[in-house]
Amino acid sequence: MPTVLSGRALAVTATATALLATALGAHTATAETAAATATAATTDKVLVIGIDGTVLDRVKAANAPHLQGLMAQGLTAKSTLYANPMAATSSGPGWSTIATGVWPDKHGVKDNTFTGKNYTAYPDFLTRIENAKPSLNTYAAADWEPITSTDAGGPIFSAKVDKRLSLKGDRDGYGTEDPKIAAAASAELQDQNPDAAFVYFGQVDGAGHSYGAASQQYLDAIGRVDVMVGRLLTAVQNRPTYAQENWKILVTTDHGHTDAGGHGGSTIQERGTFVIAKGAGIPAGSVRSDVKLVDVAATAMAQVGVDPGSAIDGIPLNAPDDNDPFDTLRPNLQARVDETGIPAGVKGFTHTPPAGWSVDNSKMGTGGVTEWAGWAFATDEFWSQSQRDQWRELNVRSRDVFAVADSDEWDDKSHTGSYDSTLITPKWAVTGGATGSSANLTFQTHYHHEAGQTAQVLVSYNGGTPTVVKSYTADAVARAESLTLQVPAGATDVQVRFRYAGTNNWYWTVDNVKLG
Protein backbone atom coordinates (compact mmCIF):
# COMPACT_ATOMS: atom_id res chain seq x y z
CA MET A 1 0.00 0.00 0.00
CA PRO A 2 1.55 3.33 -1.00
CA THR A 3 2.22 5.80 1.80
CA VAL A 4 -0.19 8.73 1.57
CA LEU A 5 0.08 11.99 3.47
CA SER A 6 -2.69 13.07 5.81
CA GLY A 7 -5.34 15.35 4.35
CA ARG A 8 -5.48 17.46 7.49
CA ALA A 9 -4.28 21.08 7.17
CA LEU A 10 -0.88 20.18 5.80
CA ALA A 11 1.28 22.37 3.61
CA VAL A 12 1.14 20.83 0.14
CA THR A 13 4.49 19.98 -1.31
CA ALA A 14 5.54 21.66 -4.53
CA THR A 15 5.43 18.39 -6.43
CA ALA A 16 2.01 17.36 -5.15
CA THR A 17 0.58 20.80 -5.83
CA ALA A 18 1.86 20.74 -9.38
CA LEU A 19 0.27 17.33 -9.95
CA LEU A 20 -3.03 18.50 -8.49
CA ALA A 21 -3.05 21.56 -10.70
CA THR A 22 -2.43 19.40 -13.77
CA ALA A 23 -5.27 17.02 -12.92
CA LEU A 24 -7.71 19.86 -12.46
CA GLY A 25 -6.84 21.48 -15.76
CA ALA A 26 -4.58 24.27 -14.62
CA HIS A 27 -2.59 24.28 -17.86
CA THR A 28 -0.53 27.34 -16.95
CA ALA A 29 0.58 26.22 -13.49
CA THR A 30 4.34 26.54 -13.03
CA ALA A 31 6.79 25.09 -10.59
CA GLU A 32 7.30 28.58 -9.17
CA THR A 33 3.55 28.95 -8.51
CA ALA A 34 3.43 25.53 -6.87
CA ALA A 35 6.41 26.35 -4.66
CA ALA A 36 4.78 29.58 -3.57
CA THR A 37 1.55 27.75 -2.76
CA ALA A 38 3.46 25.21 -0.68
CA THR A 39 4.44 27.93 1.76
CA ALA A 40 0.86 29.07 2.34
CA ALA A 41 -1.65 27.65 4.81
CA THR A 42 -4.14 25.37 3.09
CA THR A 43 -7.80 24.55 3.59
CA ASP A 44 -8.67 20.88 3.05
CA LYS A 45 -11.66 20.13 0.81
CA VAL A 46 -13.10 17.07 -0.90
CA LEU A 47 -15.28 16.40 -3.94
CA VAL A 48 -16.81 12.96 -4.54
CA ILE A 49 -18.21 12.35 -8.02
CA GLY A 50 -20.58 9.39 -8.43
CA ILE A 51 -21.21 7.96 -11.91
CA ASP A 52 -23.92 5.33 -11.84
CA GLY A 53 -23.41 1.88 -13.35
CA THR A 54 -19.98 2.51 -14.85
CA VAL A 55 -17.53 -0.18 -15.90
CA LEU A 56 -13.88 0.78 -15.40
CA ASP A 57 -12.62 -1.01 -18.51
CA ARG A 58 -15.12 0.96 -20.60
CA VAL A 59 -13.93 4.22 -19.04
CA LYS A 60 -10.47 3.29 -20.28
CA ALA A 61 -11.85 2.62 -23.77
CA ALA A 62 -14.07 5.73 -24.01
CA ASN A 63 -13.25 9.25 -25.14
CA ALA A 64 -12.89 10.37 -21.54
CA PRO A 65 -9.82 12.60 -21.20
CA HIS A 66 -10.78 14.04 -17.81
CA LEU A 67 -11.41 10.70 -16.11
CA GLN A 68 -8.37 9.17 -17.76
CA GLY A 69 -6.36 12.24 -16.73
CA LEU A 70 -7.36 11.72 -13.10
CA MET A 71 -6.25 8.10 -13.39
CA ALA A 72 -2.90 9.13 -14.89
CA GLN A 73 -2.28 11.73 -12.19
CA GLY A 74 -3.67 9.75 -9.26
CA LEU A 75 -4.93 6.37 -8.09
CA THR A 76 -7.00 3.73 -9.87
CA ALA A 77 -8.43 0.97 -7.66
CA LYS A 78 -10.68 -1.77 -8.99
CA SER A 79 -12.73 -3.91 -6.61
CA THR A 80 -15.81 -6.10 -6.38
CA LEU A 81 -19.10 -5.91 -4.51
CA TYR A 82 -21.23 -8.30 -2.50
CA ALA A 83 -24.19 -10.13 -4.04
CA ASN A 84 -27.42 -11.56 -2.61
CA PRO A 85 -28.29 -12.47 0.09
CA MET A 86 -26.23 -9.59 1.53
CA ALA A 87 -27.62 -7.21 -1.10
CA ALA A 88 -28.34 -6.96 -4.80
CA THR A 89 -25.86 -5.22 -7.08
CA SER A 90 -28.25 -2.30 -7.50
CA SER A 91 -28.16 1.42 -6.81
CA GLY A 92 -29.85 1.51 -3.41
CA PRO A 93 -27.27 -0.71 -1.70
CA GLY A 94 -24.41 0.64 -3.82
CA TRP A 95 -24.85 4.34 -3.10
CA SER A 96 -25.73 3.57 0.53
CA THR A 97 -22.43 1.71 0.87
CA ILE A 98 -20.49 4.58 -0.72
CA ALA A 99 -22.24 7.25 1.36
CA THR A 100 -22.20 5.51 4.74
CA GLY A 101 -18.85 3.75 4.54
CA VAL A 102 -20.36 0.48 5.81
CA TRP A 103 -21.49 -2.69 4.07
CA PRO A 104 -25.17 -3.61 3.61
CA ASP A 105 -25.17 -5.89 6.64
CA LYS A 106 -24.89 -2.66 8.65
CA HIS A 107 -26.70 0.05 6.67
CA GLY A 108 -29.55 -2.37 5.95
CA VAL A 109 -30.32 -1.49 2.31
CA LYS A 110 -30.55 -4.70 0.27
CA ASP A 111 -32.29 -3.40 -2.87
CA ASN A 112 -34.01 -0.36 -4.32
CA THR A 113 -37.00 -0.63 -1.99
CA PHE A 114 -34.76 0.62 0.87
CA THR A 115 -36.62 -1.69 3.23
CA GLY A 116 -34.60 -2.07 6.44
CA LYS A 117 -32.45 1.04 5.93
CA ASN A 118 -30.54 2.05 9.04
CA TYR A 119 -29.20 5.52 8.25
CA THR A 120 -29.83 6.61 11.84
CA ALA A 121 -27.08 4.33 13.11
CA TYR A 122 -24.96 4.69 9.96
CA PRO A 123 -25.45 8.15 8.44
CA ASP A 124 -23.85 9.39 5.23
CA PHE A 125 -20.39 10.95 5.33
CA LEU A 126 -21.67 14.51 4.77
CA THR A 127 -23.95 14.14 7.78
CA ARG A 128 -21.09 12.76 9.85
CA ILE A 129 -19.01 15.78 8.83
CA GLU A 130 -21.86 18.10 9.85
CA ASN A 131 -22.17 16.35 13.20
CA ALA A 132 -18.45 16.56 13.91
CA LYS A 133 -17.71 19.98 12.41
CA PRO A 134 -20.93 21.96 11.88
CA SER A 135 -18.94 24.97 10.68
CA LEU A 136 -17.98 23.11 7.51
CA ASN A 137 -20.17 23.52 4.42
CA THR A 138 -21.61 20.40 2.81
CA TYR A 139 -23.31 19.95 -0.57
CA ALA A 140 -25.00 17.11 -2.46
CA ALA A 141 -26.56 17.11 -5.94
CA ALA A 142 -28.17 14.16 -7.74
CA ASP A 143 -30.82 13.28 -10.27
CA TRP A 144 -31.52 9.82 -8.89
CA GLU A 145 -34.03 10.92 -6.32
CA PRO A 146 -33.31 8.60 -3.36
CA ILE A 147 -29.82 10.08 -3.04
CA THR A 148 -30.97 13.54 -2.02
CA SER A 149 -34.79 13.38 -1.91
CA THR A 150 -37.28 11.86 0.50
CA ASP A 151 -39.00 10.18 -2.46
CA ALA A 152 -38.60 6.48 -3.27
CA GLY A 153 -36.99 5.46 0.01
CA GLY A 154 -34.39 8.22 0.40
CA PRO A 155 -32.70 10.38 1.19
CA ILE A 156 -29.35 8.63 1.44
CA PHE A 157 -27.78 12.02 2.19
CA SER A 158 -29.80 13.39 5.07
CA ALA A 159 -31.55 16.73 5.57
CA LYS A 160 -28.64 17.74 7.80
CA VAL A 161 -26.52 18.42 4.70
CA ASP A 162 -26.30 22.19 4.26
CA LYS A 163 -27.45 22.29 0.64
CA ARG A 164 -29.05 19.57 -1.46
CA LEU A 165 -30.17 19.59 -5.08
CA SER A 166 -32.56 16.83 -6.18
CA LEU A 167 -33.71 16.45 -9.78
CA LYS A 168 -35.76 13.62 -11.22
CA GLY A 169 -33.93 11.53 -13.77
CA ASP A 170 -34.72 8.19 -15.37
CA ARG A 171 -33.18 5.98 -18.06
CA ASP A 172 -34.36 8.33 -20.78
CA GLY A 173 -34.13 11.57 -18.83
CA TYR A 174 -30.63 11.56 -17.37
CA GLY A 175 -29.34 13.03 -20.62
CA THR A 176 -31.41 16.12 -19.84
CA GLU A 177 -31.01 16.23 -16.08
CA ASP A 178 -27.29 15.43 -15.80
CA PRO A 179 -26.28 18.71 -17.51
CA LYS A 180 -28.46 20.60 -15.05
CA ILE A 181 -26.68 18.86 -12.17
CA ALA A 182 -23.31 19.71 -13.73
CA ALA A 183 -24.25 23.38 -14.19
CA ALA A 184 -25.59 23.83 -10.65
CA ALA A 185 -22.76 21.91 -9.01
CA SER A 186 -20.11 23.78 -11.00
CA ALA A 187 -21.56 27.11 -9.89
CA GLU A 188 -21.61 25.91 -6.29
CA LEU A 189 -18.04 24.66 -6.43
CA GLN A 190 -16.64 27.76 -8.10
CA ASP A 191 -18.61 30.59 -6.51
CA GLN A 192 -19.61 29.27 -3.08
CA ASN A 193 -17.56 27.59 -0.38
CA PRO A 194 -18.32 23.88 -0.02
CA ASP A 195 -15.84 21.94 2.08
CA ALA A 196 -17.24 18.52 1.22
CA ALA A 197 -19.42 17.80 -1.81
CA PHE A 198 -21.05 14.85 -3.56
CA VAL A 199 -22.23 15.10 -7.18
CA TYR A 200 -24.03 12.32 -9.06
CA PHE A 201 -24.58 11.59 -12.77
CA GLY A 202 -26.96 8.88 -13.97
CA GLN A 203 -26.88 8.58 -17.76
CA VAL A 204 -24.15 5.94 -18.06
CA ASP A 205 -26.36 3.50 -16.15
CA GLY A 206 -29.28 4.42 -18.42
CA ALA A 207 -27.19 3.63 -21.49
CA GLY A 208 -26.16 0.33 -19.93
CA HIS A 209 -29.78 -0.69 -19.43
CA SER A 210 -30.83 0.39 -22.90
CA TYR A 211 -27.86 -0.76 -24.98
CA GLY A 212 -25.48 -2.80 -22.82
CA ALA A 213 -22.01 -2.06 -21.50
CA ALA A 214 -20.40 -3.40 -24.68
CA SER A 215 -22.21 -0.86 -26.88
CA GLN A 216 -20.98 2.31 -28.52
CA GLN A 217 -23.88 4.14 -26.88
CA TYR A 218 -22.46 3.20 -23.48
CA LEU A 219 -19.06 4.60 -24.47
CA ASP A 220 -20.76 7.75 -25.76
CA ALA A 221 -22.55 8.21 -22.43
CA ILE A 222 -19.23 7.93 -20.59
CA GLY A 223 -17.83 10.57 -22.95
CA ARG A 224 -20.70 12.97 -22.24
CA VAL A 225 -20.35 12.51 -18.48
CA ASP A 226 -16.60 13.00 -18.82
CA VAL A 227 -17.26 16.49 -20.21
CA MET A 228 -19.34 17.24 -17.10
CA VAL A 229 -16.63 15.86 -14.84
CA GLY A 230 -14.23 18.23 -16.59
CA ARG A 231 -16.61 21.08 -15.90
CA LEU A 232 -16.57 20.27 -12.17
CA LEU A 233 -12.79 20.06 -12.11
CA THR A 234 -12.48 23.38 -13.92
CA ALA A 235 -14.89 24.97 -11.44
CA VAL A 236 -12.70 23.82 -8.57
CA GLN A 237 -9.56 25.12 -10.26
CA ASN A 238 -11.21 28.48 -10.98
CA ARG A 239 -12.09 29.14 -7.36
CA PRO A 240 -10.66 32.50 -6.22
CA THR A 241 -9.10 30.79 -3.18
CA TYR A 242 -7.91 27.66 -5.00
CA ALA A 243 -4.24 28.45 -4.44
CA GLN A 244 -4.80 28.23 -0.69
CA GLU A 245 -6.82 25.00 -0.85
CA ASN A 246 -5.94 21.30 -0.79
CA TRP A 247 -8.56 19.37 -2.78
CA LYS A 248 -8.99 15.64 -2.92
CA ILE A 249 -11.10 14.38 -5.83
CA LEU A 250 -12.70 10.93 -5.74
CA VAL A 251 -14.70 9.29 -8.54
CA THR A 252 -16.64 6.08 -7.99
CA THR A 253 -19.58 3.95 -9.09
CA ASP A 254 -22.25 1.91 -7.36
CA HIS A 255 -22.18 -1.28 -9.47
CA GLY A 256 -21.23 -2.57 -12.88
CA HIS A 257 -23.15 -3.80 -15.94
CA THR A 258 -23.19 -6.88 -18.10
CA ASP A 259 -22.12 -6.56 -21.74
CA ALA A 260 -25.73 -7.08 -22.77
CA GLY A 261 -26.99 -4.63 -20.15
CA GLY A 262 -28.33 -5.05 -16.65
CA HIS A 263 -27.18 -5.59 -13.08
CA GLY A 264 -28.46 -6.84 -9.75
CA GLY A 265 -26.96 -10.31 -9.97
CA SER A 266 -23.72 -11.97 -8.97
CA THR A 267 -21.59 -11.96 -12.12
CA ILE A 268 -18.19 -10.35 -11.82
CA GLN A 269 -19.31 -7.75 -14.38
CA GLU A 270 -22.27 -6.68 -12.22
CA ARG A 271 -20.15 -6.71 -9.06
CA GLY A 272 -17.37 -4.62 -10.59
CA THR A 273 -16.68 -1.18 -9.07
CA PHE A 274 -13.78 1.24 -8.80
CA VAL A 275 -12.37 4.25 -7.00
CA ILE A 276 -10.31 6.90 -8.80
CA ALA A 277 -8.60 9.38 -6.48
CA LYS A 278 -6.43 12.45 -7.02
CA GLY A 279 -4.88 14.72 -4.43
CA ALA A 280 -1.82 15.57 -2.43
CA GLY A 281 0.18 12.52 -1.46
CA ILE A 282 -1.46 10.12 -3.93
CA PRO A 283 1.23 8.86 -6.36
CA ALA A 284 0.58 9.58 -10.03
CA GLY A 285 -0.43 6.54 -12.04
CA SER A 286 -0.71 4.35 -8.94
CA VAL A 287 -2.83 1.19 -8.91
CA ARG A 288 -4.09 -0.58 -5.80
CA SER A 289 -5.97 -3.82 -5.18
CA ASP A 290 -6.87 -3.28 -1.52
CA VAL A 291 -9.35 -0.39 -1.86
CA LYS A 292 -13.10 -0.91 -1.36
CA LEU A 293 -16.20 1.25 -1.90
CA VAL A 294 -16.53 1.81 1.84
CA ASP A 295 -13.20 3.66 1.71
CA VAL A 296 -14.75 6.59 -0.16
CA ALA A 297 -16.63 7.85 2.90
CA ALA A 298 -13.67 7.25 5.18
CA THR A 299 -11.34 9.15 2.84
CA ALA A 300 -13.74 12.07 2.43
CA MET A 301 -14.12 12.44 6.18
CA ALA A 302 -10.40 12.19 6.86
CA GLN A 303 -9.68 14.79 4.19
CA VAL A 304 -11.60 17.46 6.13
CA GLY A 305 -10.23 16.42 9.51
CA VAL A 306 -13.07 14.19 10.72
CA ASP A 307 -11.91 10.92 12.22
CA PRO A 308 -13.92 8.05 10.66
CA GLY A 309 -13.30 5.99 13.78
CA SER A 310 -14.25 2.34 14.13
CA ALA A 311 -17.96 2.90 13.45
CA ILE A 312 -17.50 2.42 9.71
CA ASP A 313 -15.92 -0.33 7.63
CA GLY A 314 -13.94 1.99 5.39
CA ILE A 315 -10.27 2.92 5.69
CA PRO A 316 -8.95 6.29 4.46
CA LEU A 317 -6.72 6.04 1.42
CA ASN A 318 -4.01 7.81 3.39
CA ALA A 319 -4.10 5.32 6.29
CA PRO A 320 -0.78 3.66 7.14
CA ASP A 321 0.01 0.42 5.37
CA ASP A 322 -1.38 -2.51 7.38
CA ASN A 323 1.46 -4.75 6.12
CA ASP A 324 -0.81 -7.74 5.54
CA PRO A 325 1.63 -10.51 4.54
CA PHE A 326 -0.94 -12.22 2.31
CA ASP A 327 -1.02 -9.16 0.04
CA THR A 328 2.68 -9.60 -0.73
CA LEU A 329 1.74 -12.74 -2.68
CA ARG A 330 -0.10 -10.90 -5.47
CA PRO A 331 2.88 -10.88 -7.89
CA ASN A 332 3.10 -14.69 -7.51
CA LEU A 333 -0.56 -15.52 -8.19
CA GLN A 334 -1.32 -18.13 -10.83
CA ALA A 335 -4.07 -18.76 -13.35
CA ARG A 336 -6.58 -21.61 -13.05
CA VAL A 337 -5.55 -25.26 -13.27
CA ASP A 338 -8.65 -27.44 -12.78
CA GLU A 339 -11.34 -24.79 -12.35
CA THR A 340 -13.43 -24.09 -15.46
CA GLY A 341 -15.67 -21.21 -14.37
CA ILE A 342 -12.79 -18.81 -13.78
CA PRO A 343 -11.55 -16.98 -16.90
CA ALA A 344 -8.19 -18.30 -18.07
CA GLY A 345 -6.60 -14.86 -17.90
CA VAL A 346 -7.34 -14.26 -14.22
CA LYS A 347 -4.31 -14.85 -12.02
CA GLY A 348 -5.65 -15.28 -8.52
CA PHE A 349 -4.29 -18.18 -6.45
CA THR A 350 -1.14 -19.72 -5.00
CA HIS A 351 -0.31 -22.41 -2.47
CA THR A 352 2.98 -20.78 -1.50
CA PRO A 353 2.53 -18.98 1.85
CA PRO A 354 4.19 -15.67 2.70
CA ALA A 355 7.52 -15.60 4.48
CA GLY A 356 7.34 -17.09 7.96
CA TRP A 357 3.96 -18.77 7.37
CA SER A 358 3.38 -22.44 6.56
CA VAL A 359 0.61 -24.86 5.62
CA ASP A 360 0.42 -28.36 7.14
CA ASN A 361 -1.22 -30.75 4.67
CA SER A 362 0.00 -33.94 6.33
CA LYS A 363 -3.60 -34.98 6.97
CA MET A 364 -4.94 -33.92 3.55
CA GLY A 365 -6.39 -36.42 1.14
CA THR A 366 -4.81 -36.72 -2.29
CA GLY A 367 -6.24 -35.50 -5.58
CA GLY A 368 -9.17 -33.12 -5.71
CA VAL A 369 -9.25 -29.74 -7.43
CA THR A 370 -5.69 -28.44 -7.55
CA GLU A 371 -6.52 -24.84 -6.69
CA TRP A 372 -8.05 -25.81 -3.32
CA ALA A 373 -5.88 -28.74 -2.23
CA GLY A 374 -5.28 -27.39 1.28
CA TRP A 375 -5.17 -23.77 2.37
CA ALA A 376 -4.63 -21.49 -0.62
CA PHE A 377 -4.15 -17.75 -1.01
CA ALA A 378 -6.55 -16.12 -3.45
CA THR A 379 -8.32 -12.98 -4.57
CA ASP A 380 -12.05 -12.37 -4.58
CA GLU A 381 -12.13 -12.09 -8.37
CA PHE A 382 -10.66 -15.59 -8.60
CA TRP A 383 -12.27 -17.43 -5.70
CA SER A 384 -15.82 -16.07 -6.02
CA GLN A 385 -15.93 -17.10 -9.69
CA SER A 386 -15.14 -20.71 -8.82
CA GLN A 387 -18.84 -21.13 -8.00
CA ARG A 388 -21.37 -18.29 -7.85
CA ASP A 389 -24.27 -17.78 -5.47
CA GLN A 390 -22.88 -19.81 -2.59
CA TRP A 391 -22.07 -16.79 -0.40
CA ARG A 392 -18.46 -16.49 -1.60
CA GLU A 393 -19.43 -13.03 -2.86
CA LEU A 394 -20.18 -12.00 0.74
CA ASN A 395 -16.51 -12.02 1.77
CA VAL A 396 -16.44 -8.22 1.62
CA ARG A 397 -14.23 -7.54 4.64
CA SER A 398 -11.24 -9.37 3.20
CA ARG A 399 -8.99 -7.18 1.08
CA ASP A 400 -6.68 -8.03 -1.81
CA VAL A 401 -5.21 -11.52 -1.16
CA PHE A 402 -6.65 -13.70 1.62
CA ALA A 403 -6.29 -17.29 2.83
CA VAL A 404 -9.04 -19.74 1.90
CA ALA A 405 -9.82 -23.35 2.75
CA ASP A 406 -12.61 -24.64 0.46
CA SER A 407 -13.57 -28.30 0.82
CA ASP A 408 -16.63 -27.80 -1.37
CA GLU A 409 -14.64 -26.86 -4.47
CA TRP A 410 -11.82 -29.32 -3.67
CA ASP A 411 -14.34 -32.16 -3.76
CA ASP A 412 -15.35 -31.40 -7.37
CA LYS A 413 -12.57 -33.66 -8.68
CA SER A 414 -11.92 -37.26 -7.66
CA HIS A 415 -9.77 -37.74 -4.57
CA THR A 416 -8.91 -40.10 -1.77
CA GLY A 417 -9.30 -39.17 1.88
CA SER A 418 -10.82 -36.01 3.25
CA TYR A 419 -9.94 -32.34 3.51
CA ASP A 420 -7.82 -31.49 6.56
CA SER A 421 -5.41 -28.55 6.31
CA THR A 422 -3.82 -26.20 8.85
CA LEU A 423 -2.54 -22.65 8.22
CA ILE A 424 0.26 -21.74 10.62
CA THR A 425 1.51 -18.26 11.53
CA PRO A 426 5.10 -17.34 12.34
CA LYS A 427 6.15 -17.42 15.99
CA TRP A 428 5.34 -14.03 17.47
CA ALA A 429 7.10 -12.68 20.54
CA VAL A 430 5.03 -12.33 23.71
CA THR A 431 5.85 -11.63 27.34
CA GLY A 432 4.09 -13.90 29.78
CA GLY A 433 5.55 -12.23 32.85
CA ALA A 434 5.67 -13.83 36.27
CA THR A 435 1.91 -14.34 36.41
CA GLY A 436 1.02 -14.34 32.73
CA SER A 437 -0.58 -11.66 30.57
CA SER A 438 -2.96 -11.27 27.63
CA ALA A 439 -2.65 -10.54 23.93
CA ASN A 440 -5.26 -9.70 21.32
CA LEU A 441 -5.53 -11.78 18.13
CA THR A 442 -7.49 -10.07 15.35
CA PHE A 443 -8.39 -11.15 11.83
CA GLN A 444 -11.12 -10.89 9.22
CA THR A 445 -13.05 -14.09 8.63
CA HIS A 446 -15.81 -15.46 6.40
CA TYR A 447 -17.06 -18.89 7.40
CA HIS A 448 -19.92 -20.89 5.88
CA HIS A 449 -20.90 -23.79 8.14
CA GLU A 450 -22.31 -27.23 7.55
CA ALA A 451 -22.48 -30.24 9.83
CA GLY A 452 -19.48 -32.50 9.36
CA GLN A 453 -16.82 -29.82 9.03
CA THR A 454 -14.49 -28.37 11.64
CA ALA A 455 -12.96 -24.90 11.86
CA GLN A 456 -10.67 -24.19 14.81
CA VAL A 457 -8.22 -21.53 15.96
CA LEU A 458 -5.44 -23.05 18.05
CA VAL A 459 -2.47 -21.47 19.85
CA SER A 460 0.76 -22.84 21.24
CA TYR A 461 3.35 -21.15 23.46
CA ASN A 462 7.09 -21.85 23.31
CA GLY A 463 6.50 -24.75 20.92
CA GLY A 464 4.06 -26.52 23.23
CA THR A 465 0.96 -28.50 22.35
CA PRO A 466 -1.62 -26.39 20.44
CA THR A 467 -4.86 -25.76 22.29
CA VAL A 468 -8.19 -24.66 20.82
CA VAL A 469 -9.20 -21.06 21.61
CA LYS A 470 -12.07 -20.78 19.10
CA SER A 471 -14.32 -23.26 17.29
CA TYR A 472 -16.84 -22.22 14.65
CA THR A 473 -20.12 -24.11 14.81
CA ALA A 474 -22.31 -21.66 12.89
CA ASP A 475 -21.94 -19.22 10.00
CA ALA A 476 -19.62 -16.28 10.66
CA VAL A 477 -20.26 -14.16 7.59
CA ALA A 478 -17.77 -11.39 6.70
CA ARG A 479 -16.82 -10.75 10.29
CA ALA A 480 -14.05 -8.93 12.11
CA GLU A 481 -12.82 -11.33 14.80
CA SER A 482 -11.03 -10.41 18.03
CA LEU A 483 -9.81 -13.10 20.44
CA THR A 484 -8.14 -12.45 23.76
CA LEU A 485 -5.30 -14.89 24.34
CA GLN A 486 -4.25 -15.71 27.88
CA VAL A 487 -0.44 -15.82 27.73
CA PRO A 488 0.95 -18.14 30.42
CA ALA A 489 3.72 -17.13 32.78
CA GLY A 490 7.15 -17.47 31.25
CA ALA A 491 5.93 -17.64 27.64
CA THR A 492 8.16 -15.86 25.12
CA ASP A 493 6.47 -16.73 21.83
CA VAL A 494 3.09 -17.77 20.46
CA GLN A 495 2.09 -19.50 17.25
CA VAL A 496 -1.45 -19.56 15.87
CA ARG A 497 -3.01 -22.31 13.76
CA PHE A 498 -6.17 -22.23 11.65
CA ARG A 499 -7.34 -25.81 11.09
CA TYR A 500 -10.17 -26.61 8.69
CA ALA A 501 -11.44 -30.16 8.06
CA GLY A 502 -14.35 -31.55 6.05
CA THR A 503 -15.34 -33.12 2.74
CA ASN A 504 -17.71 -31.49 0.28
CA ASN A 505 -18.84 -29.09 2.98
CA TRP A 506 -18.29 -25.33 2.72
CA TYR A 507 -15.29 -23.07 3.33
CA TRP A 508 -13.37 -20.71 5.61
CA THR A 509 -11.42 -17.55 4.76
CA VAL A 510 -8.97 -15.64 6.96
CA ASP A 511 -7.30 -12.29 6.29
CA ASN A 512 -5.18 -9.62 7.96
CA VAL A 513 -4.14 -11.74 10.93
CA LYS A 514 -2.47 -9.65 13.64
CA LEU A 515 -1.36 -10.05 17.23
CA GLY A 516 -1.75 -6.91 19.33
Side-chain angles (χ1 to χ4, degrees), residues 50-52 95 140-149 164-182 198-206 225 228:
I51 310 175
D52 205 302
W95 293 117
D143 50 6
W144 190 57
E145 289 181 279
I147 291 178
T148 48
S149 169
R164 294 182 302 161
L165 173 62
S166 180
L167 300 180
K168 185 174 183 179
D170 54 40
R171 292 180 188 176
D172 299 321
Y174 287 122
T176 300
E177 301 305 304
D178 277 359
K180 296 178 184 177
I181 292 291
F198 174 86
V199 180
Y200 165 97
F201 299 116
Q203 64 182 280
V204 175
D205 182 62
V225 169
M228 299 179 214

Side-chain angles (χ1 to χ4, degrees), residues 227-249:
V227 173
M228 299 179 214
V229 170
R231 187 171 180 180
L232 298 181
L233 300 181
T234 299
V236 169
Q237 187 268 326
N238 285 342
R239 288 176 53 78
T241 53
Y242 174 68
Q244 290 79 47
E245 294 170 347
N246 171 29
W247 281 85
K248 185 158 280 159
I249 310 294

Side-chain angles (χ1 to χ4, degrees), residues 71 121-122 234 261 264 295 438 483 485:
M71 294 166 67
Y122 300 102
T234 299
D295 299 341
S438 64
L483 305 178
L485 306 183

Side-chain angles (χ1 to χ4, degrees), residues 90-101:
S90 54
S91 290
W95 293 117
S96 296
T97 298
I98 291 165
T100 63

Side-chain angles (χ1 to χ4, degrees), residues 46 96-103 106-107 118-139 156-162 196 294 296-302 304-314:
V46 63
S96 296
T97 298
I98 291 165
T100 63
V102 300
W103 296 109
K106 288 185 179 179
H107 64 61
N118 191 17
Y119 298 143
T120 300
Y122 300 102
D124 63 273
F125 67 85
L126 295 180
T127 297
R128 286 187 181 273
I129 290 170
E130 285 290 339
N131 290 338
K133 291 189 171 184
S135 62
L136 296 183
N137 295 316
T138 53
Y139 176 79
I156 297 173
F157 287 93
S158 81
K160 201 154 192 177
V161 176
D162 287 321
V294 289
V296 172
T299 303
M301 293 167 62
V304 294
V306 175
D307 184 1
S310 60
I312 67 175
D313 295 319

Side-chain angles (χ1 to χ4, degrees), residues 2 97 138 177 201 203 256 270 293 353 355 357 380 392 426 503:
T97 298
T138 53
E177 301 305 304
F201 299 116
Q203 64 182 280
E270 294 165 281
L293 279 196
W357 291 68
D380 177 77
R392 289 176 180 84
T503 298

Side-chain angles (χ1 to χ4, degrees), residues 243-281:
Q244 290 79 47
E245 294 170 347
N246 171 29
W247 281 85
K248 185 158 280 159
I249 310 294
L250 300 113
V251 182
T252 191
T253 192
D254 57 333
H255 55 70
H257 257 287
T258 63
D259 283 351
H263 57 86
S266 60
T267 67
I268 206 73
Q269 292 80 16
E270 294 165 281
R271 294 174 59 218
T273 60
F274 62 85
V275 175
I276 298 169
K278 180 68 185 77

